[in-house]
Amino acid sequence: MDYGHALEFGAFITPAAANPEIPVLLSQAAEASGLDLVTFQDHPYQPAFLDTWTLMSFVAARTDRIRIAPNVLNVPLRPPAVVARSAASLDLLSGGRFDLALGAGGFWDAIEAMGGGRLTPGQAVTALEEAIDVIRALWDTSERRGAFTDGEFHRVQGAKRGPSPAHRIPIWIGAYKPRMLALTGRKGDGWLPSLGYMKPGDLARGNAAIDAAAESADRDPREVRRLLNVGQLAADPAEFAERLAQLALEDGIGTFILAGDDPRLLQTFGQEVAPAVRELVAGERTARGTAQGEVRSAAALAARREGIAYDDVPEGLTAIEPGDFGYGDVRSTYMRGGSPGIVLQPDSPAQVAEAIAFARRHPGLPLAVRSGGHGISGRSTNDGGLVIDLRRLDAIEVLDEERRLVRIGPGARWMQVAAALGEHGWALTSGDYGGVGVGGLATAGGIGFLAREHGLTIDHLRAVEVVLADGSIVRADADTHPDLFWAVRGAGGNVGIVTAFEFEVDEVGDIGWAQLAFQVDDLAEFLEGYGRIVESSPRDLTAFLLAGGPRPGQPQEVRLYGVVDSDDPDTIIARLQPFAELAPLVQQSVQVASYPQVMANADLGPQHGVGEPHSRSGLIEHITPEFAQTAARMLASGAVPFFQLRAVGGAVADVAEHATAYAHRSANFSVVALGSDAQRLDVQWRALAAHTAGMYLSFDSSERPERIAEAFPPATLDRLRAVKAAYDPTCVFRDNFAIEPAADAA
C-alpha cells in the first residue's frame, strides 16, 4: 500500500549526557546533510540521558531549518496539559518546526492513583487517548471559553487555551498492539514504530488495522502518515535506497528515521540515500499513476461551504478553509465574529490580482478585504464568503530620507509603523490603537492623535499601488490616475485593493501623553466644555473623549485621552489645565513619551471577536447645547455603553473639501456610539443624528442604504459613482459601503 505521502528523512539521535554538546552537533550535522527531521528518545528517569524537552529546545535554538520531535514522548510521565503548552511554545519559538510523537511508555503507575489501580492495556489506551484530547483542546484557541475534557485519567475543567502553535502540530503515535493501532487510526496523524521490533508482515498488518479504524471514524487512511525508525539496512547506499524505496511503495512508509550517532552516516543518509529513494519512488509512482501529496482530512472537507471552487485556488496562494488549522485565528475580527468560506492570504500584488480573479469567478459570494481586522464596521469578515487577508503585505521602508517619504504595506499595523518611523524621529498620525491595520484606516481617512496639527492620515498620502477589479496593477498619484487617487483617499474600499502606500511623514519628537478621568455630575455641560476648549486650543492639542452608560449607585465618569505635541512640561500642563476646571479629576496620568510609546497599546496576536456589535457614526462642527443634551439623554438610556468624541478640525480643515473623497472637512468632531442591541441603539441614535452632518465610514456598522448619502455629499458621491464606473463597473468590491457606478459614465 502506497499512501502517496511526500518522502521525508530524519535522524534518531541518542540524548547522551556524558558529552552534552554531541547530540547538538549531531543535530546540526543532520540539518547540514539535508535531513528533514531530528528526533530524540524520551527517558526522563534515565540519568545517562539529557532531559528530552530541554535538549529539543536547545537544538531548536542552534538550528535553522530542521524539524524536531521526541521519539517518542513518555506520556505517563508527561502531564498532557503541560505537554500542550510546552509543545506550542517550542513550535512558536522555532518558527513551526516542532512535531509531537507520543508513546504509551512503561510507567503507567505514575497515573495509577487516578484510575484506582494498575492500568490494564485497554485503560492505557484510554489514558493515551484522553491525553491527546487534552492536548488538542488546549491548542484550539478558536473559542474564548476554557477547555473542558472529562476523562477518567486526564481531564481539564475550564483550563485556559493556548498558546496556539505556529502550525498544526501532528501527533504521531508509537504503538504496536491492536488497541493502540486502532487509536492511531481514529485520532493519530502518524504511526511511528521501529523496524527492529517488528516481524515480517507486521507493517502490513499494522497498516490494515490503522486503515480500518480510520475508515470507521470517517477518516481517509491517507490522513495518517506512516513513519519508521530504521537502522542501517545496507552498507551500500544504493542498496540501502532500494530497500527503503520498497518499504515506501509496498508498506506506505513516508518518513524514514535513521538511528545512529555517526555524522558520516547521517551525511550519507541525507545526501546520497534520501535523493536516491525519492527518485526511485517518484518514478514508480508515475508509472503506477499514484496520487501524491498530503490529503485534506475528511473533517476538513466536510467543513467546506457550498458554492466555492476550493480546488481552483491558484497554486502558491495561501488559502485557509474552515476545517484548517489556523482558521480560528483568521475567521473573526477584533470585535466581530465571522465564518468565511475561505480566507486567501496573498504575499504580493500579483497574488492579490489572483485573489481578485478568484472572487470574480464567484460573483455570488460576499467579498471582504482585510488589513488588520480591527475595523469596527466589520467589513473585513463575513459568513460563508471570501476574505482577502493582506497581513503578509506588511513591509515598511524609507524611500527618500530627505523628503521623509516612506512606503508601507496595507497589512502593517500602526504600532509597527510608529516604531519604524520613530527610529528616524518621524511620525504619521494614525488613529488611537496600534493594532489597526494600515489599509483600512489609510483608505477611509485616519482620525488620530496628531490630527489637529498634522491632518488626517490620507492627507499625507502621495501615491498608491492599487490592484483593480480587473486584476491590473496600477500606480496612482496626483498626476497618474488622479481620479483613482482622489477616490482612494476616503472611499478606497470601493475602487480596488491598495497593496502599497507612499506617505510623506512629519518630524515629531517627544510629546505629552495625557489620560484623565473626571467625575461628572452634569454630562451635557461637560460635553459642551470639552468642545469649547478643544476648538479654542492651539493645534498642538488633540484630545478624545470617552464615556459610558450609567453605573448603578456610582457617579458618571468621563475619560479624556490625547496628545500635546510638545516635550515642554509647562506647555503640556497649560494645554490640559482648562479641562481640569470642568469637573473633579478622579484619575490622571500625564507624561512625556514618544509617539511609538503611545501607539504601543495593542496585542498583535490573533483576533477572536464574537457576536455582532453595532455602531453608529457621525461628524459634527460644534458641540452645541442641543447636541450635548441629546447625547446625555442617550447615555442615560443605558442603550449605549460606549460613546466617543474625537477631535478633528485644525489642519484637517485646511484641505479643500473637494480635494479627497473624505469631504466633511469643516467638522471639528467625530462621534461614535456602540451598543449590543441594534434596535435600541437606532432609537437613541436617530435623535442624535439630527445634529450631525456626514459620517466616518470606519465607525458605522449599519447596512442602511441612506448611509452612503450620509457619508458623501452629493457632488462627492456623483464623482465617486463616475470613478466606480471607470474602475469597477461590475461591482466586484460591493461589500464595504458599496457605491453604485454611474449608469451614464463614459
Side-chain angles (χ1 to χ4, degrees):
M1 167 64 75
D2 180 5
Y3 299 96
H5 294 146
L7 297 183
E8 297 178 341
F9 299 84
F12 191 0
I13 295 171
T14 307
N19 190 341
E21 187 69 9
I22 286 180
V24 180
L25 292 172
L26 287 170
S27 301
Q28 293 173 323
E31 180 173 67
S33 300
L35 295 179
D36 306 291
L37 180 69
V38 60
T39 69
F40 308 93
Q41 56 189 289
D42 180 40
H43 299 289
Y45 48 83
Q46 172 57 267
F49 288 162
L50 296 166
D51 173 69
T52 300
W53 271 114
T54 307
L55 176 59
M56 290 191 298
S57 300
F58 199 83
V59 168
R62 295 279 292 270
T63 55
D64 298 312
R65 177 194 57 80
I66 200 163
R67 303 201 321 274
I68 300 149
N71 192 348
V72 290
L73 202 70
N74 196 317
V75 172
L77 301 181
R78 304 284 189 179
V82 177
V83 168
R85 294 205 165 95
S86 298
S89 299
L90 185 51
D91 196 50
L92 289 166
L93 291 168
S94 65
R97 292 192 289 128
F98 180 75
D99 299 330
L100 181 59
L102 304 178
F107 289 82
W108 288 103
D109 55 334
I111 61 170
E112 282 175 12
M114 289 183 286
R118 181 169 294 278
L119 272 63
T120 66
Q123 288 176 319
V125 173
T126 299
L128 181 57
E129 184 168 8
E130 291 173 0
I132 293 172
D133 291 342
V134 169
I135 291 168
R136 286 186 170 147
L138 294 180
W139 284 345
D140 181 6
T141 59
S142 62
E143 294 187 33
R144 287 187 172 182
R145 66 188 296 268
F148 291 83
T149 67
D150 191 19
E152 180 181 358
F153 304 101
H154 301 294
R155 64 186 66 90
V156 291
Q157 298 295 318
K160 292 186 180 296
R161 301 173 187 267
S164 177
H167 81 304
R168 184 185 182 278
I169 298 177
I171 295 181
W172 305 326
I173 299 175
Y176 301 91
K177 298 296 179 65
R179 290 189 181 95
M180 285 291 184
L181 293 173
L183 170 61
T184 303
R186 290 196 310 274
K187 292 191 175 180
D189 299 305
W191 179 37
L192 177 52
S194 293
L195 189 61
Y197 291 107
M198 308 186 83
K199 300 188 294 291
D202 280 355
L203 280 174
R205 285 187 287 272
N207 279 333
I210 290 170
D211 293 353
E215 290 170 350
S216 69
D218 294 325
R219 301 181 72 197
D220 187 326
R222 292 176 298 169
E223 295 178 39
V224 184
R225 173 171 280 272
R226 317 302 158 110
L227 305 93
L228 188 64
N229 291 319
V230 299
Q232 188 174 3
L233 299 183
D236 176 48
E239 184 182 352
F240 194 1
E242 289 177 359
R243 296 189 65 179
L244 295 185
Q246 184 179 16
L247 287 167
L249 294 166
E250 296 182 3
D251 293 296
I253 305 302
T255 301
F256 296 96
I257 303 173
L258 178 66
D261 298 330
D262 184 343
R264 292 170 298 181
L265 179 59
L266 295 177
Q267 184 178 27
T268 300
F269 190 57
Q271 297 183 357
E272 297 183 40
V273 176
V277 177
R278 288 190 172 102
E279 184 176 356
L280 289 169
V281 171
E284 186 62 26
R285 283 176 172 174
T286 299
R288 296 178 179 181
T290 303
Q292 301 183 49
E294 306 303 312
V295 299
R296 190 170 294 278
S297 71
L301 291 173
R304 286 180 163 180
R305 306 291 286 263
E306 292 186 5
I308 301 178
Y310 289 96
D311 295 333
D312 290 345
V313 173
E315 184 177 356
L317 177 58
T318 298
I320 303 175
E321 302 180 16
D324 288 349
F325 172 84
Y327 176 77
D329 289 342
V330 300
R331 63 184 296 177
S332 300
T333 64
Y334 182 79
M335 297 183 68
R336 176 175 270 94
S339 299
I342 188 169
V343 178
L344 302 180
Q345 294 184 330
D347 61 13
S348 67
Q351 284 197 343
V352 172
E354 291 179 340
I356 293 174
F358 186 84
R360 290 200 308 271
R361 294 194 293 272
H362 296 79
L365 282 185
L367 172 63
V369 181
R370 175 187 301 164
S371 56
H374 180 75
I376 292 173
S377 65
R379 308 301 172 206
S380 52
T381 190
N382 54 44
D383 181 14
L386 166 64
V387 172
I388 300 177
D389 185 323
L390 305 174
R391 69 183 63 196
R392 299 184 178 203
L393 298 172
D394 61 353
I396 304 169
E397 60 179 318
V398 176
L399 299 179
D400 187 329
E401 188 144 2
E402 185 174 342
R403 288 184 56 197
R404 301 189 301 278
L405 188 66
V406 299
R407 181 181 174 94
I408 304 174
R413 307 291 188 91
W414 287 111
M415 185 168 85
Q416 298 167 322
V417 174
L421 298 184
E423 295 177 3
H424 302 273
W426 304 339
L428 176 59
T429 184
S430 51
D432 66 347
Y433 185 70
V436 173
V438 167
L441 184 141
T443 53
I447 300 174
F449 285 138
L450 301 173
R452 294 187 70 246
E453 183 174 31
H454 296 294
L456 301 174
T457 304
I458 60 172
D459 298 338
H460 296 263
L461 196 54
R462 299 296 175 261
V464 290
E465 177 184 74
V466 189
V467 184
L468 302 176
D470 64 0
S472 58
I473 303 170
V474 302
R475 176 185 172 85
D477 56 28
D479 300 315
T480 306
H481 298 289
D483 51 349
L484 177 64
F485 185 54
W486 171 85
V488 163
R489 292 172 292 166
N494 259 280
V495 293
I497 297 179
V498 179
T499 52
F501 298 85
E502 293 181 15
F503 293 104
E504 189 174 315
V505 300
D506 295 299
E507 289 184 347
V508 177
D510 285 348
I511 56 180
W513 167 233
Q515 300 174 83
L516 310 174
F518 300 85
Q519 179 180 317
V520 176
D521 296 326
D522 188 330
L523 181 57
E525 183 179 27
F526 188 91
L527 295 177
E528 282 188 71
Y530 159 78
R532 182 177 62 254
I533 293 168
V534 168
E535 288 194 51
S536 62
S537 293
R539 291 184 173 190
D540 58 10
L541 168 77
T542 301
F544 295 174
L545 179 148
L546 181 62
R551 298 174 298 172
Q554 298 184 49
Q556 174 77 51
E557 188 174 288
V558 176
R559 295 182 177 272
L560 298 185
Y561 60 105
V563 158
V564 177
D565 188 7
S566 173
D567 60 2
D568 175 47
D570 292 337
T571 300
I572 296 169
I573 296 301
R575 300 291 187 267
L576 299 175
Q577 184 60 38
F579 295 114
E581 298 171 3
L582 289 176
L585 276 165
V586 295
Q587 187 178 355
Q588 59 180 308
S589 171
V590 181
Q591 57 186 305
V592 175
S594 67
Y595 188 71
Q597 288 174 321
V598 171
M599 293 301 293
N601 57 6
D603 176 2
L604 300 185
Q607 298 174 348
H608 297 141
V610 294
E612 182 72 16
H614 305 281
S615 61
R616 298 294 179 265
S617 167
L619 295 167
I620 57 175
E621 293 201 12
H622 309 290
I623 300 178
T624 63
E626 295 76 17
F627 172 87
Q629 290 164 8
T630 305
R633 286 194 296 270
M634 181 173 69
L635 283 166
S637 73
V640 178
F642 180 100
F643 175 82
Q644 185 188 54
L645 289 168
R646 292 188 173 203
V648 196
V652 176
D654 291 344
V655 178
E657 182 171 300
H658 64 271
T660 63
Y662 179 101
H664 298 283
R665 294 287 179 166
S666 62
N668 282 299
F669 301 95
S670 166
V671 55
V672 182
L674 275 74
S676 58
D677 186 300
Q679 187 173 5
R680 290 185 67 201
L681 175 62
D682 281 339
V683 167
Q684 296 298 323
W685 182 257
R686 277 195 287 270
L688 196 71
H691 302 282
T692 66
M695 72 153 67
Y696 185 47
L697 301 184
S698 293
F699 290 152
D700 198 288
S701 67
S702 68
E703 298 285 355
R704 300 170 297 112
E706 59 269 25
R707 75 194 189 285
I708 303 299
E710 294 171 6
F712 305 107
T716 301
L717 184 56
D718 287 345
R719 185 175 177 185
L720 280 172
R721 292 186 64 207
V723 174
K724 183 76 170 179
Y727 291 98
D728 184 19
T730 60
C731 294
V732 172
F733 305 111
R734 60 188 175 276
D735 293 293
N736 189 357
F737 289 91
I739 295 168
E740 289 293 325
D744 57 348

